[in-house]
Amino acid sequence: MLIYRFLSGEDDSAFCHKVTKALSDGWVLHGSASYAYDAMNKKMVCGQAVTKVVSDQPYDPDKKLVDYV
């Protein structure tokens, strides 16, 4: 089964670490990063989709995606 996550956050090193952690846990980049200006907070925010192939198992919407193996 292929699972999908969208990581987002302020455009800073913490976001880069979040993406790097996902990659080190077996997630794969999916598409390009996206950027947007948050006018209310006057900051740039970014997002990156990641996917991961996990063993066949029933999908459970109540299960955290990081708990699939």
Side-chain angles (χ1 to χ4, degrees):
M1 174 171 64
L2 182 67
I3 57 176
Y4 169 92
R5 290 172 60 195
F6 186 77
L7 307 173
S8 62
E10 186 177 332
D11 186 15
D12 59 11
S13 63
F15 176 76
C16 294
H17 285 283
K18 184 188 296 188
V19 174
T20 300
K21 171 75 168 111
L23 295 174
S24 71
D25 288 342
W27 294 84
V28 177
L29 297 177
H30 180 79
S32 300
S34 59
Y35 295 92
Y37 183 68
D38 179 350
M40 184 174 285
N41 294 310
K42 299 180 180 177
K43 295 181 180 183
M44 290 298 292
V45 292
C46 49
Q48 175 64 58
V50 292
T51 60
K52 184 177 185 180
V53 175
V54 297
S55 59
D56 285 333
Q57 54 196 290
Y59 172 69
D60 178 357
D62 295 324
K63 186 175 183 177
K64 290 183 179 184
L65 293 172
V66 295
D67 291 338
Y68 280 94
V69 291

